Amino acid sequence: MSDTLIHERYIKIERTLEGVEDAKQMVQNFLTENNINEDLISHFELSVYEAAVNVVEHGDREFNNHPIHIHIKITSVGITAKISSIGEKFDPLKKKLPDIVNHYKSGSSHGLGIYFIRTLMDKVNYSREGDMNVLTLTKNNNV
């Protein structure tokens, strides 16, 4: 099956938790408007949210006045989001995934964003484009 573009949306948000919440709602609305399966929306929305939260919470403060860019594409094969932000190089795919059982037993409520992204998405890629960190998330239509 060819990967035919159906719809796309560009979202630019402030690098704040409020901006991330706005993006979460925009992603959900866009996918709902395009009749995407509810399970797929849940997986995708959470992954985009976690990626953007990581930029806000762990990114260098000197870049706080630079926005986060999210480009979502719905294709015949699935959904892709490209999340881009200016900052020091950080490849989340090089981080070791936590032992989920030990993490749960520890009572910690933080530190699972990358785990969720990598387990909920079918494909995750990191690239460096100039001074931008770019995380590309892909979820196939097979939920």
Side-chain angles (χ1 to χ4, degrees):
M1 175 184 266
S2 68
D3 193 7
T4 306
L5 179 65
I6 298 171
H7 292 287
E8 64 185 328
R9 169 104 14 114
Y10 291 93
I11 299 170
K12 183 168 102 173
I13 60 168
E14 290 183 14
R15 198 177 216 151
T16 62
L17 292 177
E18 294 81 11
V20 173
E21 286 296 330
D22 291 344
K24 181 180 173 185
Q25 192 61 54
M26 287 185 258
V27 168
Q28 183 181 43
N29 291 345
F30 175 63
L31 298 177
T32 300
E33 290 164 9
N34 285 284
N35 301 311
I36 300 300
N37 171 297
E38 236 179 86
D39 289 337
L40 198 147
I41 291 173
S42 296
H43 291 181
F44 200 77
E45 172 191 1
L46 177 60
S47 297
V48 170
Y49 173 82
E50 290 294 341
V53 165
N54 282 345
V55 171
V56 172
E57 291 186 345
H58 303 294
D60 297 313
R61 300 286 178 237
E62 68 185 274
F63 301 110
N64 280 353
N65 62 334
H66 295 277
I68 299 171
H69 302 271
I70 304 169
H71 180 200
I72 304 171
K73 290 182 181 181
I74 300 172
T75 69
S76 55
V77 177
I79 307 168
T80 300
K82 198 174 191 180
I83 299 124
S84 308
S85 61
I86 291 177
E88 295 297 322
K89 182 178 180 175
F90 175 70
D91 182 352
L93 302 181
K94 292 194 180 212
K95 293 225 16 135
K96 183 179 175 194
L97 290 180
D99 176 324
I100 196 69
V101 173
N102 286 334
H103 191 84
Y104 173 75
K105 286 179 181 178
S106 76
S108 178
S109 61
H110 295 286
L112 292 177
I114 294 170
Y115 174 84
F116 288 137
I117 292 167
R118 289 174 59 187
T119 57
L120 292 174
M121 293 293 98
D122 294 313
K123 188 174 181 185
V124 182
N125 289 319
Y126 168 82
S127 63
R128 183 80 178 161
E129 297 177 11
D131 56 0
M132 303 281 275
N133 289 302
V134 180
L135 193 64
T136 305
L137 314 176
T138 303
K139 187 70 179 166
N140 298 327
N141 279 331
N142 60 359
V143 173

